[in-house]
Structure formats: structure tokens, C-alpha cells
Amino acid sequence: MLKHLRTIIPTTLVLTLVAFFSWGALEPQFAKAVTAQVVITLNVTQGISLTNSGNSTMSTSLGIAQNTAVGTTTWTVITNDGAGYTLALTSTSTPAMQSTTGGFSITDYQKGAPNLWSATTSNAYFGYSAFGTDTLTSDWGTGANCGVGNAISTTLKYQGLATTSAAYTVQKNVASRAATTTPAGIVTTTCYAVEQNNFFIPAATYNATVIGTATPL
């Protein structure tokens, strides 16, 4: 009987130890947090648009009793360029204002830095100015309209149109900004002025073709 018990006891101990270590191996392990990441890419295409108010007729006809007239157009620039844009004007001919018949023309106003309007005696001039949100008053004056009636504004500054940027002695942008515009765009008003001073412009119909160029920066 004692011999039999000695055989059973070791066997019981072995089974107990195996069960203990097997439970430890099966015990769940607590994992640490891990991370991963992804990159979401969006491409935004640069764009710019320029529209205008269309053709314009000067405020009145000139003649032997009327010496000044003004005209108005507007330009709307829309851009999403974060660096902004510039808007400049040129003409398709020199002088810019020419008759449709007869070969006559009106002298371009000075092509240096814009200045307050002053028409030399015994001549006639055609020039332009600008005002708006993105127009520098230091360049173009403080006027907020193109003139009252047919009178040329005395607070705007003017220059003559040229066919290229290089043809200006000093070219000034009529508008610029260093940021995107609003979705509706930024409107710039350009004013055109004609004056004959102790001089008669030959009777005819005169046209000037003005080109606006909006450039993203």
C-alpha cells in the first residue's frame, strides 16, 4: 500500500506543475498603442479672369462750344492666386484716339507718372485715370468719380495710353493686390478724358481701343 502511494505522489506533482506553467503561457498579453498615418492631397488650380463693362461713348460731343468730355468703363478681376494680381491698360494704336475717316487723331496725354489734368493751350488731349478698391490714390489721385457732367475730375491723376508697357515713360498699374480676390471679384473704374484747349479737333468720329491685362503674381 505504501509503495503504491509513493508512485502516485510524484505523478500528481508533475501534473500540477505542467498545469501551472501552461496557464502562464496562455495568459493574455496587454498590447501597447500603435499609430499610422495617411496624407490627403488637394490640388487647387490657379485661375484669373477679367471682364469689363463693354464699349463706352464719351459723355458729350465736342464742337465749337463744348471743349471737354469724359467716359467710363469698369474692369472686374477674379483670381485665387495667393500672391495677387496686377491690372494694366494699353491701347492698340498711337495715338490711342483716332478718327474712323479722314486720318485725324487726338494727342495722347503725357505718358509719365499720372498727374492732375492740364491741357496745354492750342492742342487737344485724350487720357485716362482710375479709381477703386485696389487702386493706389498715391498714383491715381483721390477722386471717386470720373467727373461731374462733362467736366474732367480735378482730383484724379491722368496719363496717356501707350501700345506696350515699354512705350510708357512710367507705367502705373490701375489696380493691384497681394492676395486673392473675393469670389465676386474686384471692380476698378477707369475714366477717360478729352479736352481741346484753344484748339478745334477736326469734326469726325473718333475711337480708342483699350486693352486691359490682368496678370497673376
Side-chain angles (χ1 to χ4, degrees), residues 2-26:
L2 292 175
K3 183 179 179 180
H4 178 71
L5 287 174
R6 284 197 298 269
T7 302
I8 292 175
I9 291 171
T11 302
T12 302
L13 289 173
V14 170
L15 290 175
T16 302
L17 289 173
V18 170
F20 174 80
F21 286 111
S22 296
W23 179 88
L26 295 175

Side-chain angles (χ1 to χ4, degrees), residues 2-205:
L2 292 175
K3 183 179 179 180
H4 178 71
L5 287 174
R6 284 197 298 269
T7 302
I8 292 175
I9 291 171
T11 302
T12 302
L13 289 173
V14 170
L15 290 175
T16 302
L17 289 173
V18 170
F20 174 80
F21 286 111
S22 296
W23 179 88
L26 295 175
E27 183 181 7
Q29 301 296 311
F30 295 99
K32 295 182 179 180
V34 296
T35 62
Q37 66 181 28
V38 295
V39 176
I40 310 304
T41 300
L42 169 67
N43 293 317
V44 178
T45 303
Q46 181 196 72
I48 189 167
S49 71
L50 176 65
T51 57
N52 59 54
S53 56
N55 298 335
S56 176
T57 300
M58 303 292 282
S59 61
T60 189
S61 299
L62 300 191
I64 61 173
Q66 179 62 40
N67 294 320
T68 60
V70 296
T72 304
T73 61
T74 60
W75 308 83
T76 302
V77 178
I78 300 173
T79 186
N80 64 349
D81 191 321
Y85 76 95
T86 60
L87 173 63
L89 300 185
T90 54
S91 60
T92 59
S93 63
T94 300
M97 183 71 82
Q98 300 195 20
S99 65
T100 56
T101 59
F104 306 119
S105 62
I106 300 174
T107 303
D108 291 326
Y109 195 61
Q110 62 87 26
K111 294 184 174 71
N115 62 18
L116 297 176
W117 184 267
S118 177
T120 303
T121 302
S122 301
N123 208 339
Y125 295 93
F126 171 70
Y128 77 103
S129 186
F131 66 87
T133 302
D134 289 350
T135 300
L136 291 177
T137 56
S138 57
D139 289 339
W140 296 99
T142 58
N145 60 65
C146 292
V148 178
N150 303 314
I152 298 169
S153 171
T154 59
T155 55
L156 289 175
K157 297 179 181 180
Y158 300 81
Q159 69 177 180
L161 285 158
T163 54
T164 65
S165 296
Y168 285 92
T169 304
V170 177
Q171 187 186 30
K172 295 291 186 179
N173 295 316
V174 295
S176 64
R177 71 161 47 202
T180 63
T181 67
T182 63
I186 299 298
V187 177
T188 298
T189 299
T190 49
C191 302
Y192 309 93
V194 174
E195 181 177 3
Q196 56 182 17
N197 187 355
N198 195 32
F199 176 87
F200 285 140
I201 298 171
T205 298

